[in-house]
Amino acid sequence: MTSYSDQVLYMGLAGAPGERFVVPTRLVYEAHDPFAVRFVFHPDTDYSVQWVMARDLIAQGLSRPSGQGDVRIWPTGSGDDAELNLVLSSPSGVARLTAQLSAVAQWLERTYGLVPAGHETNSFDVDAELSRLLHGTR
């Protein structure tokens, strides 16, 4: 049985006014970490950058502005032209990215096929996770 879902897509990165760069991005979900999704920018290169965020945040951001602080997400447009906007903030700077909303929505739907919404804790061992976090064990 598959325990992960990933998809490669190409996100747009806003540069100087009117400038846009294409950023290969891999969206990753693993059932053993049911609350989180990963966006890996420039996957399979020496320059890959990974951001981990809540799956619920992405789900909410498909239909309304969501997030605060380091990660903000919201939809724009409609139909085939609908985009998902993602703003990532760090001490090094801010990146504003866009992706085709339908591509992200289809991938997210596959993650719910692996672990349905509301069932994330069914196989989640809270004690083991706390031990891992507090003691650095796996």
Side-chain angles (χ1 to χ4, degrees), residues 12-15 20 74 76 83 85-88 94-98:
L13 172 65
R20 246 176 112 113
W74 68 95
T76 54
E83 288 188 318
N85 296 272
L86 178 65
V87 174
L88 305 173
V94 175
R96 180 171 180 181
L97 299 123
T98 58

Side-chain angles (χ1 to χ4, degrees), residues 26 28 37-41 49-53 70-71 86-91 93 95:
R26 176 173 281 132
V28 180
V37 297
R38 291 185 288 139
F39 279 57
V40 183
F41 302 102
V49 174
Q50 177 175 266
W51 278 72
V52 179
M53 56 199 81
D70 294 349
V71 180
L86 178 65
V87 174
L88 305 173
S89 302
S90 78

Side-chain angles (χ1 to χ4, degrees), residues 50-130:
Q50 177 175 266
W51 278 72
V52 179
M53 56 199 81
R55 180 171 70 160
D56 286 349
L57 175 65
I58 303 303
Q60 291 169 2
L62 292 175
S63 61
R64 66 181 185 272
S66 300
Q68 57 186 347
D70 294 349
V71 180
R72 292 174 299 158
I73 187 170
W74 68 95
T76 54
S78 61
D80 292 339
D81 295 328
E83 288 188 318
L84 187 65
N85 296 272
L86 178 65
V87 174
L88 305 173
S89 302
S90 78
S92 300
V94 175
R96 180 171 180 181
L97 299 123
T98 58
Q100 182 184 25
L101 190 135
S102 62
V104 176
Q106 289 168 3
W107 167 76
L108 191 64
E109 187 63 32
R110 289 193 303 274
T111 75
Y112 288 115
L114 296 172
V115 179
H119 293 264
E120 292 88 352
T121 60
N122 288 2
S123 62
F124 192 71
D125 186 343
V126 174
D127 292 333
E129 283 301 309
L130 281 174

